[in-house]
């Protein structure tokens, strides 16, 4: 019961008593029942709390401003002491507040302080390297920072820290990609960049289950998939002049490995629950959409330009993680068909379609690299695959009554039509007709979906 | 509450781990500052901005140039030892050592200090060097040789002043950097000397 209601009730009750509607006996009973006497106390407490909060914010701002004003004047040791004690105190205070109560404002404040502590960790690392004039690359700083926050996320089983570490590793990886294309010896942190696909899965997927966080799972896999693709594409360019066979195998892997793996990914493979299986399938479909869209362009099928020619031994290490993913994929498909009560290996219609489109993709890419250049066939083929993917999304959306899937399907089809229209030089009238058809199709499709969806 | 104490232990383990990470960043630099010997290097400046760590001055040294090192004794041997495809020069990321010799007047410290001169290069860390020589670890990069002392961070409000001082330099006036080098050849920059004024942050 809200204070506001009780406050209004007290006003009304006083009016009723004044008008003679109720006598003082009944008024006292109502006052007792709704505890009118407490109202003043509550209001005073809230007022005090508000003042405390406001004062706290102003105090905090004052401290920050004071520190900012004197920062340059402080000696190195004073700065180190300040930052390290800020780091320890915000983490410790945050932890005890968060632990004292798993609900309510203390827990929220505790989480905020712990997150702040993670930011202060970064400030500490950055400042340490600055004060000693270290000229290491910035991406290394992000990796070390991410590692620290990862440890805390595991230790406290805290989703916000887990998402934060995923973002840090992502930033570190993105900044470090140029390292992969630099000639020369391999340093420890370069190895981290190169092996990011495996490291991301090993460090972040268990964390996602540990924290029951869909976000960590999704972002972690995106990082793994992205880094795996960077590795494979780099490999294609590296071997372009050396071995057609290696290029073909790598290209087929780059196109099919990720969707094949994510489509059959099941938490039960790690003895975990199935909460995230849907996300993996969604990622597989998103990957296929982007892949088919990309491969349906004309220019993609031009000649490979060699960027790097010098080959070093650690280039072969990238095959290690791709191979591990491949073995895991095969294992997952075998397990996938054996689910349910049937004694035989069997898969559903949609899985069959995904498998078929992956096989077609593999064959087209292989053919193009090994047997003969089939640019025209390949472009037609991938346009057809993209179109069929859009249609099957629509079909699934209607069967399952999922509005978002429906719009994804529509968006894919419209995007394909538009892109082809812009890519190939067509007349204005034709463009007008296409726009007209797209507009009408979207309206009719949308209305029809809302009327006909089965759930 | 057993569960709670386990959580506390886990928390403090993670906190200690993070503290270890923080202190691991400057560990070698602190060691070098404590155990190292001071040398002086002649510079050539360049100037970008590193947004995570604030303003910095990017430094290049006389010995960062391949042209300087190619004249030193031992260069031809070094190239022969490392250059696998003949004629390519030193492969990128090759680690080697540059031996520097203190100027003859080093007995009496001059202000501003005089830069040390390179005398030789070697693939291995040289042992039993004379007292007036020291070995500095170097890494071959594309275009430059780097020593891990190429960045000097400075407060934003002093940066203008220092840049003006550098810009006003006549080419023959010394702009040198004092660097500490530890017995393994690792180095940290300590201070800048521009036109007789010392800048140390």
């Amino acid at each position: 019961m809200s204070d506001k209601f009780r406050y209004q009730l007290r006003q009304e009750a006083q009016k009723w008593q004044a008008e003679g509607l109720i006598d003082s006996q009944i008024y006292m009973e109502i006052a007792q029942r709704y505890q009118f006497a407490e109202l003043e106390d509550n209001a005073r407490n809230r007022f005090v709390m508000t003042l405390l909060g406001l004062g706290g914010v102003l105090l905090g701002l004052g401290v920050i401003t004071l520190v900012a004003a004197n920062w340059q004047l402080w000696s190195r040791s004073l700065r180190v002491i300040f930052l390290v004690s800020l780091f320890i105190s915000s983490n410790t205070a945050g932890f005890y507040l968060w632990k004292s109560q798993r609900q309510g404002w203390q827990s929220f404040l505790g989480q905020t302080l712990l997150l702040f502590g993670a930011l202060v960790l970064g400030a500490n690392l950055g400042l340490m390297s600055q004060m000693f004039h270290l000229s290491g690359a910035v991406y290394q700083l992000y990796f070390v920072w991410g590692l620290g926050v990862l440890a805390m996320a595991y230790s406290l089983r805290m989703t916000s820290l887990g998402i934060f570490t995923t973002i840090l590793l992502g930033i570190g990886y993105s900044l470090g990609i140029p390292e992969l294309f630099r000639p020369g010896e391999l340093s420890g942190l370069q190895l981290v960049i190169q092996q990011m696909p495996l490291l991301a899965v090993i460090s972040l997927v268990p964390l996602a289950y540990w924290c029951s966080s869909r976000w960590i799972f999704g972002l972690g896999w995106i990082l793994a998939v992205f880094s795996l693709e960077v590795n494979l594409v780099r490999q294609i360019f590296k071997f372009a002049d050396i071995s057609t066979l290696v290029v073909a195998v790598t290209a087929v892997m780059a196109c099919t490995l990720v969707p094949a793996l994510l489509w059959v990914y099941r938490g039960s493979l790690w003895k975990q629950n199935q909460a995230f299986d849907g996300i993996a399938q969604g990622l597989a479909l998103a990957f296929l959409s982007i892949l088919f869209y990309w491969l349906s362009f004309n220019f993609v099928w031009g000649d490979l330009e060699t960027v790097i020619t010098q080959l070093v031994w650690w280039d072969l290490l990238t095959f290690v993680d791709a191979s591990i993913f491949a073995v895991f994929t095969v294992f997952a498909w075998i397990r996938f068909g054996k689910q349910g009560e049937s004694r035989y290996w069997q898969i559903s219609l949609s899985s069959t379609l995904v498998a078929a489109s992956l096989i077609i993709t593999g064959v087209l890419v292989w053919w193009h690299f090994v047997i003969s250049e089939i640019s025209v066939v390949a472009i037609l083929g991938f346009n057809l695959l993209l179109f069929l993917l859009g249609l099957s999304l629509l079909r699934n959306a209607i069967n399952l009554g999922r509005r978002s899937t429906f719009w994804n399907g529509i968006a894919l089809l419209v995007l394909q039509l538009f892109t082809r229209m812009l890519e190939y030089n067509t007349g204005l009238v034709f463009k007008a007709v296409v726009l007209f058809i797209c507009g009408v199709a979207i309206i009719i499709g949308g209305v029809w979906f809302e009327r006909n969806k089965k759930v | 509450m057993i569960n709670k104490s386990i959580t506390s232990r886990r928390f403090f383990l993670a906190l200690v781990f993070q503290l270890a990470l923080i202190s691991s960043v400057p560990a070698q630099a602190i060691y070098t500052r404590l155990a190292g010997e001071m040398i002086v290097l002649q510079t050539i400046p360049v100037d970008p901005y590193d947004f995570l760590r604030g303003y910095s001055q990017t430094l290049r040294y006389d010995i960062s140039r391949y042209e300087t090192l190619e004249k030193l004794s031992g260069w031809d041997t070094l190239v022969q030892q490392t250059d696998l495809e003949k004629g390519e020069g030193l492969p990128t990321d090759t680690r080697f050592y540059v031996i520097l010799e203190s100027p003859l007047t080093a007995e009496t410290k001059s202000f501003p200090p005089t830069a040390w001169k390179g005398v030789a290069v070697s693939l291995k860390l040289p042992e039993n060097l004379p007292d007036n020589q020291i070995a500095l670890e170097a890494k071959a990069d594309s275009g430059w040789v780097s020593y891990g002392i190429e960045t000097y961070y400075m407060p934003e409000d002093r940066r203008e002043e220092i840049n003006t001082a550098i810009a006003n330099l006549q080419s023959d006036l010394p702009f040198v950097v004092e660097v500490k080098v530890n017995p393994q050849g690792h180095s940290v920059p300590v201070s800048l000397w521009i036109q007789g004024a010392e800048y140390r942050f």
Side-chain angles (χ1 to χ4, degrees):
Chain A
M1 199 172 305
S2 75
D3 282 359
K4 195 180 164 202
F5 170 74
R6 283 156 64 199
Y7 194 75
Q8 285 171 334
L9 185 65
R10 187 175 66 172
Q11 273 188 327
E12 289 300 307
Q14 282 167 347
K15 215 186 283 174
W16 296 335
Q17 197 189 7
E19 287 168 5
L21 211 60
I22 53 172
D23 57 25
S24 60
Q25 176 70 30
I26 294 174
Y27 177 81
M28 290 305 286
E29 273 174 30
I30 293 175
Q32 186 72 29
R33 186 184 176 109
Y34 292 96
Q35 295 178 313
F36 288 161
E38 262 186 23
L39 274 175
E40 293 304 324
D41 281 355
N42 282 356
R44 197 182 311 120
N45 282 344
R46 213 166 29 242
F47 182 64
V48 170
M49 283 300 293
T50 314
L51 278 185
L52 275 178
L54 196 67
V57 170
L58 286 176
L59 266 176
L61 281 176
V63 170
I64 290 171
T65 319
L66 189 72
V67 169
N70 289 297
W71 190 252
Q72 312 281 14
L73 305 176
W74 287 2
S75 70
R76 171 179 311 176
S77 44
L78 200 61
R79 288 188 234 173
V80 172
I81 291 169
F82 174 78
L83 270 175
V84 170
S85 49
L86 184 68
F87 167 74
I88 293 175
S89 58
S90 62
N91 270 306
T92 315
F95 172 67
Y96 281 108
L97 271 173
W98 170 76
K99 201 179 78 165
S100 68
Q101 226 172 343
R102 288 298 167 99
Q103 300 283 316
W105 67 270
Q106 287 105 320
S107 158
F108 178 75
L109 185 66
Q111 281 201 40
T112 314
L113 277 174
L114 283 167
L115 205 57
F116 178 70
L119 284 173
V120 177
L121 172 66
N124 267 291
L125 292 170
L127 198 92
M128 288 294 173
S129 96
Q130 176 180 332
M131 283 189 311
F132 292 92
H133 310 290
L134 302 177
S135 41
V138 181
Y139 78 92
Q140 303 179 340
L141 208 64
Y142 279 103
F143 277 146
V144 176
W145 189 4
L147 184 66
V149 180
L150 183 74
M152 194 55 92
Y154 266 108
S155 134
L156 300 182
R157 205 174 183 167
M158 190 174 279
T159 306
S160 49
L161 289 179
I163 294 174
F164 189 52
T165 186
T166 313
I167 293 171
L168 288 176
L169 293 178
I171 295 175
Y173 180 75
S174 319
L175 291 174
I177 290 177
E179 292 291 309
L180 284 176
F181 294 89
R182 225 169 51 93
E185 276 300 301
L186 182 72
S187 74
L189 284 158
Q190 273 170 296
L191 193 68
V192 171
I193 293 178
Q194 198 202 34
Q195 296 300 315
M196 189 45 90
L198 276 181
L199 292 176
V201 170
I202 291 171
S203 63
L204 297 173
V205 171
L207 183 66
Y209 284 107
W210 177 241
C211 298
S212 315
S213 163
R214 302 168 62 86
W215 278 96
I216 299 175
F217 184 84
L219 290 173
W221 270 108
I222 288 174
L223 180 59
V225 166
F226 181 68
S227 48
L228 182 67
E229 291 300 316
V230 168
N231 275 350
L232 291 174
V233 169
R234 175 175 165 277
Q235 212 71 307
I236 292 174
F237 282 110
K238 277 233 152 180
F239 283 88
D241 276 351
I242 299 167
S243 158
T244 322
L245 197 68
V246 175
V247 171
V249 171
T250 318
V252 170
M253 270 186 156
C255 295
T256 57
L257 185 55
V258 168
L261 170 62
L262 288 176
W263 183 259
V264 292
Y265 175 88
R266 292 293 174 272
S268 54
L269 291 168
W270 324 92
K271 299 195 165 50
Q272 297 289 346
N273 59 42
Q274 53 185 27
F276 304 140
D277 297 358
I279 303 174
Q281 284 204 338
L283 284 175
L285 287 179
F287 185 93
L288 278 182
S289 310
I290 296 169
L291 179 77
F292 291 163
Y293 180 68
W294 173 249
L295 293 180
S296 67
F297 278 98
N298 200 341
F299 73 88
V300 179
W301 296 89
D303 283 337
L304 270 186
E305 280 176 35
T306 338
V307 180
I308 320 149
T309 45
Q310 190 192 10
L311 207 64
V312 280
W313 66 270
W314 56 274
D315 283 327
L316 299 174
L317 281 180
T318 30
F319 285 119
V320 173
D321 50 350
S323 312
I324 292 175
F325 277 101
V327 169
F328 186 77
T329 307
V330 172
F331 170 71
W333 272 94
I334 294 171
R335 284 280 301 271
F336 184 63
K338 287 221 175 123
Q339 283 174 339
E341 280 153 30
S342 168
R343 284 173 53 228
Y344 303 102
W345 192 86
Q346 58 178 39
I347 51 177
S348 67
L349 176 63
S350 47
S351 298
T352 315
L353 287 176
V354 168
S357 60
L358 288 176
I359 291 170
I360 294 171
T361 306
V363 169
L364 282 176
V365 172
W366 179 268
W367 199 289
H368 181 77
F369 279 112
V370 176
I371 300 173
S372 66
E373 289 205 5
I374 44 161
S375 310
V376 181
V377 182
I379 293 164
L380 274 176
F382 282 110
N383 269 296
L384 195 66
L385 283 174
L386 181 62
F387 183 70
L388 290 176
L389 180 64
L391 280 190
S392 20
L393 282 180
L394 292 186
R395 178 184 152 272
N396 255 350
I398 291 160
N399 282 347
L400 303 170
R402 273 199 211 131
R403 196 172 287 116
S404 57
T405 315
F406 178 80
W407 286 117
N408 285 344
I410 287 276
L412 211 56
L413 292 178
V414 170
L415 186 67
Q416 183 183 20
L417 203 58
F418 257 70
T419 317
R420 291 296 85 78
M421 185 182 85
L422 295 173
E423 187 184 9
Y424 299 97
N425 207 2
T426 48
L428 264 184
V429 177
F430 182 76
K431 286 194 170 85
V433 171
V434 170
L435 285 172
F436 184 76
I437 293 175
C438 282
V440 172
I442 289 177
I443 294 170
I444 294 178
V447 171
W448 184 76
F449 174 76
E450 291 303 330
R451 288 236 177 116
N452 287 279
K453 66 172 182 183
K454 291 183 178 165
V455 181
Chain B
M1 297 287 270
I2 297 162
N3 200 7
K4 274 199 169 178
S5 70
I6 288 176
T7 320
S8 298
R9 201 158 59 210
R10 278 210 317 248
F11 166 75
F12 283 109
L13 269 177
L15 195 70
V16 167
F17 176 66
Q18 291 189 337
L19 279 170
L21 285 181
I22 292 175
S23 43
S24 75
V25 173
Q28 195 179 48
I30 291 174
Y31 164 70
T32 306
R33 267 176 179 260
L34 294 178
E37 186 185 338
M38 191 79 95
I39 63 163
V40 182
L41 294 177
Q42 181 64 51
T43 65
I44 327 159
V46 231
D47 188 6
Y49 176 70
D50 177 352
F51 84 99
L52 193 75
R53 290 178 286 195
Y55 282 97
S56 66
Q57 182 78 45
T58 296
L59 305 162
R60 297 281 184 213
Y61 302 92
D62 194 30
I63 50 168
S64 305
R65 290 191 293 214
Y66 281 107
E67 302 93 83
T68 313
L69 297 186
E70 278 162 7
K71 291 174 198 145
L72 303 183
S73 82
W75 179 261
D76 293 336
T77 325
L78 178 67
V79 172
Q80 271 171 17
Q81 281 168 321
T82 54
D83 188 11
L84 303 174
E85 298 167 40
K86 297 293 170 205
E88 296 271 313
L90 218 53
T92 310
D93 284 1
T94 307
R95 286 183 188 278
F96 60 100
Y97 295 87
V98 175
I99 294 118
L100 298 163
E101 193 177 75
S102 118
L104 293 174
T105 54
E107 302 300 317
T108 51
K109 206 181 174 190
S110 62
F111 291 100
T114 336
W116 289 41
K117 293 268 177 285
V119 287
V121 289
S122 142
L123 187 63
K124 294 265 176 304
L125 180 66
E127 284 165 25
N128 305 324
L129 282 174
D131 278 350
N132 65 339
Q133 291 190 353
I134 199 156
L136 188 59
E137 194 190 44
K139 197 180 87 181
D141 271 336
S142 43
W144 297 98
V145 178
S146 63
Y147 297 86
I149 48 176
E150 279 73 23
T151 325
Y152 199 82
Y153 296 93
M154 54 188 65
E156 212 174 321
D157 52 348
R158 299 286 301 279
R159 190 169 165 269
E160 282 295 311
E161 174 196 340
I162 292 163
N163 278 344
T164 322
I166 293 171
N168 288 341
L169 272 183
Q170 302 299 317
S171 56
D172 53 342
L173 281 174
F175 167 23
V176 293
V177 177
E178 279 190 311
V179 174
K180 278 253 178 131
V181 187
N182 73 18
Q184 286 76 42
H186 298 298
S187 46
V188 282
V190 178
S191 66
L192 308 182
W193 281 89
I194 306 164
Q195 276 184 312
E198 185 186 21
Y199 297 90
R200 181 193 287 253
F201 299 109

